[in-house]
Amino acid sequence: MTSTRVQQKATWLRIYLELKRARKYLQSPGSSLGGVLVAAKRTLEHRRDVRLRIRAARHAYPALPIAPAKDSFMLVRIIGNDLEPRHRKGQSFDNASFILDNEPAFPDCDKFWIVNRIADRDEEARIVRLLEGRGQSFVRIPFDLEAYGRIAWDIDRLAAKQLRFSGKSGQSAELTPARYETLIRHSKNRYLMNNNGARNKALEIARTRAKWLMPWDGNCYLTEQAFRQIRGAIEARPYLPYVIVPMARIVENLALLDENFKPPAREEPQIIFRADTTELFDEDYAYGRRPKVEMLWRLGVPGPWDRFRDDPWDFPRPSLAPDAGLFHKAGWVARLDSGRSHLEIGKAGFVARWSSRDEAIVDMIDRCDALATAARLDPSRLVFYDDAVLAAVSQGNDVELRRHLETAASEVLARARHTDLHQAGDPARLRHVLHDVTVLALAAAVLGDQRFAADAAQWIRTCFIDTRMNPSRAKQGVFELGGLHFFLDAVRLVERAGALTGRDREDFRTWLGGYGKWLATVPATEFGKHGVLSDLQRTSIAMFLNDGATLARVRLHARERLAAEIAPGGSFLNETSSRHDAMFALQGWTALARVLSAVDDDLWRHQAAEGQGLVTALRRFAADIGRQDIETIDRDLARPLLLDLACHDPATPALDVSPGRSLFHPDQGIAPFWVWRRQ
C-alpha cells in the first residue's frame, strides 16, 4: 500500500472515530449529518493546529524569561460553604483536618488556604482556629451579610410569561422548576459561593511565589505518588503552560492512606497554571453552572462537558483562548468524602448529585436571604404609617386633622356601644373592625387619650383572641383582611400604650402566626388578579412576627408577580375593562411598596425586564382617569395613588395632588388618615 493511501486511510479513520464520538448529537432534534461532518472537520483542523502550536511552544520555551526558574509549586486550597443536602455539614472542616493530618509535605511546594465567604460564622471560626492552630498560611474572604442583602434576584433574565405567577414557568423542558429557582438566584449564588472569584484570588496569591500555580478546591487531596507523577510530567514538558489533573471522587478518606490505592480518575479535573499565563476564571459563572468548565472550554480540554446541553439562559460558550490546546494531563487528585456517598458513586449518583446540588444552592441562598432580611427588621416599627409624622401631629401640627381624628374616634366609640363586639368577629365585618381599631389607635397615639387605646385593645381581644376568629375558612376572609397592613400598625400603637397585657400580646401573635401559616398554603394563583393582597398580608405578618425567612420569600414573590401581572405599558394583564379594578390593584401594590420600604426594600423603583413597574402602572392609571370614554372615578379615591405618582416619578407633569379627604368608608380599601403614611 502506498504512503498516500496509508495517509488517506488514516485520515478517514480519524473522521470515522470523530463521527462515532459525535453520534449522540445525531439523536438530538435539529441535528444533521452535514452538521456533524462540519463539526468533525473543524475538530480535526483544530487538533492539527494544536499540534503545530505545541511544536512551536516547545521550540520557544528555552527563550522565555520563566524557563530558567526552578520548578516550584504553590497549592492553594479554597474552603467554601458546606451545602446541605449536597454535603454533610462540617465536611469542609473534617476534610481540612484530614489533609493536615495525613497529606505529606511535597518538595518545592508551598501550601496555602483561602477561607472563602463562609456564611456560617461559627463554622468559619472553627476552620480559622484549625488553620491557625496548625500554623497554616491563609487569607479570609469574608461573607458580608449587608453587601449580600443588596444583591437582587435575577428575575430580569426571564420573560414575563416564564415567571412563577404567569402560570407557565417550569412547564418547558428547558426551564424545570429546579433550573428556574437556581437561575433567578444566579447573582446571589455568585457572591455567596464565589467559586471563580476565589480561584482568581488564588492565582493572584501564587503567581509571584511559585512557577506552577494550583488554585484547587478545598477538598482536594494529593498522595505522594500522585504529586511525583505531576512533577515528572511537568519536568518532561515544561513548555506546556497548563496541566490538567483528573479527579477521583472518594467515599472513604482512609483509603488514601494505602500507598497502592489509585482509583479511576474520571471526574471534572483540577488545573495547574504556569506563572506566566494570563488566563483568569470568568467570575460571571456561578456554582453549579460550569464555573470551572468555562475555563476547560477556553483551554480546549475535551471531556463530557462538551456534550452538556446549553439552555437559552446560559452564557454563550466562550471562544478558545490564545493558548488553547497547550496543556497535558498528569497524575490525579482525590476529591475527599462529601459525607454523601450515595451522590458520589455511579451514574445514579451523578444524576442525584445535580438535583441535590440545585436543592442545596436554593436552600443556602434562602437561608442567607432570611438572615439579611431579618437584620433590617424591627417588629416594633410602624410599617405603613410614619412614626415621625405621627409624632409631629401629636405635638400640635395639623390642628384641623387632629379635630377630625377626635371626631372620628368618638363616632367609633358611639357605634361600639350599640354593637355586639362578638358580631364584629364575623369575617363579613372584618374590614370595619380593622378600620375602626386603627382610628382608635391613631387617636390614642396622636391625641394622647388612653380611653381610645383601651377600647381598641378590647376590640383586638374580642375579635382576634377570645372568639378565635378564623377568616381562613373562606377565601373571602382574605379580601376582608385587606387592611391587615395598617391594622397591625394599630396593634403596635396599642401595645406601645400598654393597653394589651403580655398574655394578650402572646395570644394575638399565636392567632396571627396561624393565619400566616394558612395563607402560605394557598396556591399562588388562588386569588387571581388580587394575589398582591396575599403578598401584602404575608409581608405585614412577617414584619410583625420578626420572620425574616417569610419576608425574604415574599419580597421575591412580589417582584415575580409584578413582572407577570403588569404589562410593559402599565396595564394589568388580567384586569377587566374597569378602571376601578386597576385602582384597587394599585392600592394593594402601593401599600406593599410602602410596607417594604420599612426594611429598605425599594419596590417603587423596581423594573422588570420589559419595563414593568409600579411607576409605569401609576402613569397609566393617571392617564386613564383623565379620559372621557371610560367610567368616572371619584377624584378623592384616586388622590392617594396620584400622590404616590408625584412622589416617585419626578418626570410626571404637575398634578392636582393635594391630600383631599383623609377618611373613607372601610369598603373603599384606603387606610384611615392615609395622609400620615410613609412615603
Side-chain angles (χ1 to χ4, degrees):
M1 187 180 292
T2 65
S3 60
T4 300
R5 291 184 64 188
V6 170
Q7 291 173 353
Q8 289 175 342
K9 183 177 180 180
T11 298
W12 280 110
L13 178 61
R14 289 197 299 273
I15 292 175
Y16 166 76
L17 292 174
E18 187 59 36
L19 285 172
K20 186 176 179 181
R21 212 175 280 115
R23 180 173 55 188
K24 60 180 61 183
Y25 288 118
L26 289 172
Q27 300 169 0
S28 303
S31 62
S32 66
L33 178 61
V36 173
L37 285 170
V38 169
K41 182 174 181 293
R42 189 181 299 120
T43 298
L44 291 173
E45 290 173 347
H46 169 69
R47 289 176 182 168
R48 182 180 59 197
D49 178 62
V50 166
R51 286 196 296 272
L52 293 174
R53 292 168 61 241
I54 287 176
R55 188 181 307 160
R58 183 169 60 245
H59 292 313
Y61 177 73
L64 294 179
I66 202 169
K70 180 182 179 181
D71 284 327
S72 58
F73 301 81
M74 191 164 195
L75 172 52
V76 183
R77 289 186 178 89
I78 302 163
I79 305 178
N81 290 287
D82 294 328
L83 292 179
E84 301 176 272
R86 171 62 189 94
H87 308 134
R88 174 181 53 78
K89 184 174 176 57
Q91 58 107 31
S92 292
F93 177 90
D94 292 343
N95 286 340
S97 297
F98 182 84
I99 291 168
L100 294 171
D101 288 341
N102 298 289
E103 188 180 74
F106 304 124
D108 303 312
C109 179
D110 290 332
K111 298 178 182 180
F112 198 90
W113 302 80
I114 294 178
V115 180
N116 182 34
R117 287 207 178 127
I118 298 179
D120 185 327
R121 292 183 178 178
D122 292 338
E123 192 66 13
E124 182 193 50
R126 193 162 74 113
I127 290 170
V128 167
R129 286 196 300 271
L130 171 68
L131 298 177
E132 289 176 338
R134 299 296 188 91
Q136 299 295 296
S137 299
F138 69 94
V139 296
R140 172 178 167 266
I141 301 177
F143 173 73
D144 185 331
L145 187 63
E146 184 177 350
Y148 172 85
R150 292 194 293 267
I151 299 172
W153 289 277
D154 295 275
I155 299 168
D156 293 355
R157 299 183 69 182
L158 297 171
K161 64 182 180 181
Q162 296 162 334
L163 292 170
R164 190 187 312 271
F165 297 108
S166 69
K168 299 179 182 179
S169 66
Q171 295 184 5
S172 66
E174 292 82 8
L175 193 58
T176 63
R179 183 74 178 100
Y180 176 89
E181 298 294 350
T182 55
L183 180 63
I184 63 174
R185 292 166 173 81
H186 171 85
S187 295
K188 293 173 178 286
N189 177 2
R190 190 178 61 181
Y191 174 87
L192 174 62
M193 303 307 294
N194 194 37
N195 291 78
N196 283 351
R199 287 179 177 130
N200 286 338
K201 181 66 174 179
L203 289 173
E204 175 192 331
I205 290 169
R207 197 174 299 281
T208 59
R209 306 187 192 188
K211 185 174 181 178
W212 297 97
L213 324 175
M214 305 165 76
W216 287 7
D217 300 339
N219 292 302
C220 288
Y221 180 94
L222 270 177
T223 65
E224 187 170 359
Q225 179 191 56
F227 182 80
R228 284 201 305 267
Q229 292 173 354
I230 292 170
R231 181 163 192 163
I234 285 175
E235 289 173 347
R237 292 193 280 183
Y239 52 87
L240 294 177
Y242 301 96
V243 183
I244 307 302
V245 183
M247 190 167 68
R249 293 187 179 275
I250 305 300
V251 297
E252 176 48 69
N253 290 348
L254 292 177
L256 292 163
L257 304 184
D258 180 353
E259 61 182 16
N260 297 315
F261 177 70
K262 185 179 178 183
R266 305 189 185 101
E267 301 295 328
E268 185 180 297
Q270 300 293 320
I271 308 172
I272 300 176
F273 298 71
R274 202 171 65 198
D276 59 341
T277 58
T278 58
E279 292 297 324
L280 295 174
F281 291 90
D282 189 336
E283 297 183 23
D284 282 338
Y285 283 73
Y287 174 74
R289 205 62 187 175
R290 310 169 181 175
K292 196 198 311 160
V293 163
E294 185 274 340
M295 176 65 78
L296 297 174
W297 276 332
R298 272 193 283 147
L299 297 180
V301 180
W305 41 87
D306 293 328
R307 299 189 293 275
F308 288 172
R309 187 189 72 184
D310 293 334
D311 289 340
W313 306 275
D314 284 321
F315 296 119
R317 294 198 179 190
S319 302
L320 290 172
D323 46 5
L326 301 182
F327 65 86
H328 60 122
K329 294 184 179 180
W332 65 281
V333 60
R335 195 288 182 200
L336 294 176
D337 179 24
S338 68
R340 298 286 187 263
S341 59
H342 65 287
L343 300 177
E344 311 296 347
I345 303 172
K347 185 175 181 180
F350 174 80
V351 174
R353 193 158 63 239
W354 279 86
S355 59
S356 177
R357 182 165 57 192
D358 286 342
E359 179 185 351
I361 290 169
V362 172
D363 182 67
M364 180 72 172
I365 289 172
D366 286 355
R367 282 188 282 121
C368 289
D369 280 339
L371 290 172
T373 302
R376 306 175 185 177
L377 266 176
D378 178 357
S380 66
R381 178 194 304 151
L382 300 186
V383 299
F384 179 82
Y385 291 103
D386 190 319
D387 259 316
V389 171
L390 294 184
V393 177
S394 70
Q395 295 300 315
N397 291 3
D398 250 333
V399 173
E400 185 177 343
L401 267 182
R402 285 169 56 90
R403 188 179 302 118
H404 186 191
L405 174 62
E406 184 171 14
T407 300
S410 298
E411 289 174 353
V412 169
L413 292 183
R415 283 199 303 273
R417 285 194 292 271
H418 298 90
T419 302
D420 181 355
L421 286 182
H422 289 276
Q423 287 183 0
D426 181 352
R429 286 193 48 78
L430 276 176
R431 275 184 284 189
H432 294 262
V433 172
L434 304 188
H435 178 278
D436 288 352
V437 171
T438 301
V439 170
L440 293 175
L442 289 171
V446 169
L447 305 176
D449 191 331
Q450 293 305 303
R451 292 179 305 148
F452 298 130
D455 279 85
Q458 184 58 43
W459 282 63
I460 294 168
R461 276 190 292 268
T462 301
C463 299
F464 299 95
I465 299 174
D466 296 343
T467 62
R468 293 291 190 267
M469 184 273 299
N470 187 2
S472 66
R473 294 191 182 279
K475 184 171 70 175
Q476 187 62 29
V478 176
F479 300 125
E480 296 296 339
L481 276 170
L484 186 66
H485 56 289
F486 60 75
F487 169 74
L488 290 179
D489 269 358
V491 176
R492 290 180 175 97
L493 293 173
V494 173
E495 289 184 348
R496 289 181 187 178
L500 287 172
T501 68
R503 181 61 183 268
D504 290 337
R505 294 158 65 107
E506 181 181 334
D507 287 347
F508 178 76
R509 283 161 175 76
T510 298
W511 174 85
L512 189 63
Y515 174 61
K517 287 179 181 177
W518 172 82
L519 198 60
T521 67
V522 181
T525 56
E526 178 74 14
F527 304 110
K529 62 188 176 184
H530 299 296
V532 68
L533 290 181
S534 171
D535 289 344
L536 176 57
Q537 290 180 27
R538 294 186 68 198
T539 295
S540 303
I541 293 169
M543 296 175 80
F544 193 90
L545 298 180
N546 202 25
D547 182 355
T550 296
L551 181 54
R553 192 175 307 117
V554 183
R555 289 175 59 213
L556 166 61
H557 288 179
R559 285 158 170 77
E560 292 170 301
R561 194 188 300 279
L562 185 150
E565 293 186 0
I566 298 179
S571 63
F572 286 89
L573 294 172
N574 53 5
E575 73 177 51
T576 68
S577 59
S578 168
R579 295 304 99 188
H580 282 88
D581 279 352
M583 181 176 69
F584 282 120
L586 278 171
Q587 285 175 352
W589 278 109
T590 54
L592 179 59
R594 182 162 283 108
V595 168
L596 286 175
S597 71
V599 288
D600 300 323
D601 184 350
D602 192 352
L603 191 63
W604 294 107
R605 291 193 297 175
H606 174 75
Q607 275 201 333
E610 299 165 359
Q612 308 98 310
L614 288 189
V615 168
T616 305
L618 287 167
R619 286 177 190 156
R620 171 67 178 264
F621 175 75
D624 281 355
I625 63 173
R627 290 167 49 191
Q628 301 300 314
D629 59 336
I630 61 174
E631 77 274 24
T632 303
I633 290 181
D634 183 341
R635 191 77 176 181
D636 276 342
L637 289 175
R639 205 174 300 276
L641 297 177
L642 296 178
L643 185 59
D644 279 334
L645 178 61
C647 288
H648 296 283
D649 182 25
T652 296
L655 299 169
D656 176 15
V657 289
S658 57
R661 289 171 59 191
S662 59
L663 198 62
F664 294 86
H665 189 276
D667 289 341
Q668 292 172 322
I670 299 175
F673 296 91
W674 62 272
V675 294
W676 295 335
R677 64 190 182 176
R678 298 171 61 91
Q679 290 301 323

